[in-house]
Amino acid sequence: MANRLAASFILISLALFLQLGVGNITGLWFGFSLAALVAFSFYLPILELIFFVLFSVLILNWKPSLSAEMMFFTAMPLLSFWLRKLLPFRPWLTNIFFIFLAVVVTYLAFGFGIIIGRPVVFLLDILASILYGFFAFKVLSAQ
């Protein structure tokens, strides 16, 4: 369990670094941390998942107020945690589905203009998030 916790900390730190680094350099804010947190929902107990979600929110939104985007960001991995057993697919496929759903719903709720105005960015975010989430899922499954 300690290995899984350490791997989770490394994975979320890397995801946050990539998300903030790529976003600051290119202006493209991919959902690496959201994808990692959805993957965590398949392997971590609820208290550890909440810790990593709150840690990510603190890093991504260092302001003292909580925005609607961050509340949504907080809810998606927790929903994934409670709904993961309801789908009849293999866990890795359910993980990909939840990451896809989280990214799409995030854009529909907070970035619909990007879907219409910059569809390539939207599709790149889906692809990058799924790839990182699948990577995180595989690392945690090996622990």
Side-chain angles (χ1 to χ4, degrees):
M1 189 61 157
N3 287 341
R4 188 169 285 162
L5 192 60
S8 299
F9 184 75
I10 291 168
L11 287 166
I12 198 64
S13 297
L14 178 60
L16 289 165
F17 175 77
L18 288 172
Q19 186 166 338
L20 295 172
V22 169
N24 286 332
I25 293 170
T26 66
L28 304 175
W29 299 91
F30 296 139
F32 295 121
S33 56
L34 181 59
L37 291 169
V38 169
F40 290 2
S41 72
F42 286 82
Y43 290 102
L44 298 180
I46 189 67
L47 291 177
E48 291 175 11
L49 178 62
I50 290 171
F51 168 79
F52 283 113
V53 168
L54 294 177
F55 174 74
S56 300
V57 167
L58 178 68
I59 299 297
L60 293 173
N61 185 28
W62 52 271
K63 298 173 187 155
S65 64
L66 190 61
S67 65
E69 292 91 350
M70 288 296 112
M71 291 186 336
F72 183 83
F73 178 88
T74 301
M76 292 308 291
L78 299 176
L79 282 172
S80 174
F81 179 84
W82 284 300
L83 297 175
R84 66 184 183 203
K85 303 267 186 192
L86 296 178
L87 294 179
F89 310 119
R90 297 199 181 270
W92 67 268
L93 190 56
T94 304
N95 177 54
I96 290 172
F97 173 74
F98 280 139
I99 292 169
F100 174 80
L101 190 63
V103 172
V104 169
V105 171
T106 301
Y107 273 94
L108 289 174
F110 304 107
F112 190 73
I114 295 174
I115 296 173
I116 302 299
R118 298 177 71 191
V120 172
V121 171
F122 172 64
L123 294 174
L124 279 174
D125 190 357
I126 290 173
L127 180 63
S129 296
I130 287 174
L131 288 175
Y132 191 81
F134 186 72
F135 168 72
F137 185 89
K138 285 306 208 180
V139 168
L140 291 177
S141 69
Q143 298 303 314

